[in-house]
Amino acid sequence: MDKKIYILSTEDEILSHLAQKIQTAATNAISQQNIFKIGLSGGSMVKQLAKIFPTICTDWSKWRFFFCDERMVPFDDSESTFGAYLKAFKNVTDIKEDQFVTINPDLSAEEAAKDYIKKLSIYFPPNDIPKFDLLLLGMGPDGHTCSLFPGHPLLEESSVWVAPIVNSPKPPPCRITLTFPVINNAQISIFIIIGESKAPVIKKILEDNEPLPAQRVQPSNGNVLWFLDKAAASQLTSN
Ligand SMILES: O=C(O)[C@H](O)[C@@H](O)[C@H](O)[C@H](O)COP(=O)(O)O
């Protein structure tokens, strides 16, 4: 595993570096396999990507968007990550709705997780752990990533690729999430971490190596990049 940490002054600087990394990953994947399989997170990332996607020069038709995690709510609910991306990307790029591989929000979390695994097997070789070209990850102030929360039994899931959670400490409570076997099989994982509120947990993870969920993103044959602004990095002694 190759880990790189980028500490940049502002969110805009982070986003312009991020755009370059995403564009390169897409170009490589499309030239090698004629498709780019990217996993998206929710939260503040939606607005961040809406800002930079128009700057990316690519064949959007070759992109397929998956969800690192998703809330079990209707797509028109303000908590729906897919719904938020649809709104944010409207007229921003020529991305079509059917390029998103979405959950079935009418199912229970348990059924939706099984259903999502079936959907993944359309895009990845059956029986192999899905290998995403790029996962874009956020991190909560408690060190969670995707919908993998500190101390939750899901952290130990070692075979199921997509799992349900019905007691998420971050509302809404019912979600599905990729699990570590899939997360750590990705070619590249990129964390985008902005703001003072993340500084204490960034120190715990990047300096003290506390095994919080985000710290456990350690791709076996891949790279993990941490993009931090100065505020998020402010408690790192090396900073
Ligand atoms: O849908 C979700 O809730 C996310 O996938 C979640 O893992 C998010 O990435 C972190 O909570 C960070 O969110 P912020 O970037 O908004 O702090």
Side-chain angles (χ1 to χ4, degrees), residues 41-44 69 71 81 138-140 144-146 170 175 198:
S41 293
S44 57
D69 62 330
R71 297 87 176 279
T81 299
M139 182 197 70
H144 81 260
T145 190
C146 304
K170 177 181 179 184
R175 296 152 170 252
K198 312 285 173 79

Side-chain angles (χ1 to χ4, degrees), residues 46-98:
V46 178
K47 287 199 174 70
Q48 291 162 351
L49 297 187
K51 268 191 205 163
I52 60 173
F53 271 25
T55 68
I56 293 175
C57 175
T58 185
D59 178 353
W60 289 108
S61 70
K62 305 287 188 192
W63 291 46
R64 290 299 173 271
F65 300 92
F66 300 78
F67 294 94
C68 297
D69 62 330
E70 176 58 298
R71 297 87 176 279
M72 293 308 304
V73 294
F75 293 151
D76 60 2
D77 186 303
S78 61
E79 289 287 358
S80 166
T81 299
F82 170 54
Y85 275 109
L86 270 193
K87 277 199 204 92
F89 285 1
K90 214 177 182 65
N91 318 320
V92 160
T93 66
D94 46 11
I95 294 169
K96 307 276 181 299
E97 194 168 324
D98 63 5

